[in-house]
């Protein structure tokens, strides 16, 4: 029997296969940053006591980088609203977006600079923007 959020066993398997970290987009950006000689923490919670993790963290520069999935985080270009089980998914996706804004606020209040990019953005562009941001802090 499917979980309350899954409309079928196939949907359940598909959703459970989604990665929390090391997505294709993250790996591509990390490879480019590493090839430029930059070192960083991966899937790291930079604010003590706050259970929120950034995808890429530059601890000395206090920069937290997020590479957000279009579906999960409400990309203005690619986000879609599920037609099935929308009474579950609508509030779930809205809560993700609200949590993202709250995370940004809390990290910034703790002295961190937050950089957010979408998974569809070109890894080279993201890596260049992160490198430029780092140059401004080091």
């Amino acid at each position: 029997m499917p979980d309350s959020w899954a409309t079928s066993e196939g949907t359940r398997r598909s959703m459970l296969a989604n990665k929390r970290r090391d997505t294709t987009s993250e790996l591509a950006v990390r490879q480019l940053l590493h090839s430029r000689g930059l070192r960083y923490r991966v899937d790291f919670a930079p604010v003590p006591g706050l259970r929120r993790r950034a995808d890429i963290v530059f601890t000395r520069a206090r920069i937290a980088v997020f590479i957000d999935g279009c579906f999960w985080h409400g990309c203005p270009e690619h986000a879609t609203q599920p037609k099935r089980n929308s009474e579950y998914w609508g509030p779930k996706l809205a809560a993700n977006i609200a949590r993202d804004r709250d995370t940004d606020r809390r990290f910034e209040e703790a002295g961190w600079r937050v950089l957010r990019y979408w998974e569809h953005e070109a890894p080279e562009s993201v890596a260049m923007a992160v490198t430029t941001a780092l140059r401004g802090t080091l």
Side-chain angles (χ1 to χ4, degrees):
M1 178 175 191
D3 295 313
S4 63
W5 50 266
T7 54
S8 70
E9 184 58 29
T11 299
R12 180 180 173 281
R13 279 194 310 271
S14 175
M15 297 306 280
L16 289 173
N18 285 314
K19 293 179 168 186
R20 186 178 69 81
R21 61 171 275 180
D22 298 337
T23 64
T24 303
S25 303
E26 285 178 40
L27 292 173
V29 171
R30 285 178 7 210
Q31 179 184 19
L32 290 167
L33 293 172
H34 192 272
S35 72
R36 293 176 182 183
L38 300 173
R39 299 301 178 256
Y40 45 82
R41 303 287 304 264
V42 175
D43 191 38
F44 182 74
V47 179
L50 184 61
R51 292 185 54 203
R52 312 258 173 101
R53 305 175 81 75
D55 299 319
I56 302 167
V57 177
F58 296 91
T59 54
R60 287 192 185 121
R62 297 182 68 82
I63 292 178
V65 180
F66 294 86
I67 301 175
D68 294 334
C70 292
F71 173 77
W72 296 105
H73 298 273
C75 170
E77 291 180 47
H78 302 108
T80 58
Q81 290 299 317
K83 291 177 179 61
R84 289 183 164 187
N85 207 3
S86 59
E87 62 280 351
Y88 172 83
W89 286 107
K92 165 68 175 154
L93 298 175
N96 287 352
I97 295 167
R99 186 175 48 252
D100 289 344
R101 299 298 74 81
D102 183 61
T103 298
D104 294 348
R105 181 183 58 79
R106 289 175 178 234
F107 278 30
E108 289 166 0
E109 286 173 354
W112 287 82
R113 182 171 177 193
V114 176
L115 304 176
R116 284 193 180 269
Y117 302 96
W118 294 109
E119 68 180 340
H120 68 264
E121 292 184 70
E124 184 61 45
S125 297
V126 173
M128 181 59 68
V130 171
T131 302
T132 300
L134 279 167
R135 279 193 204 124
T137 62
L138 299 176

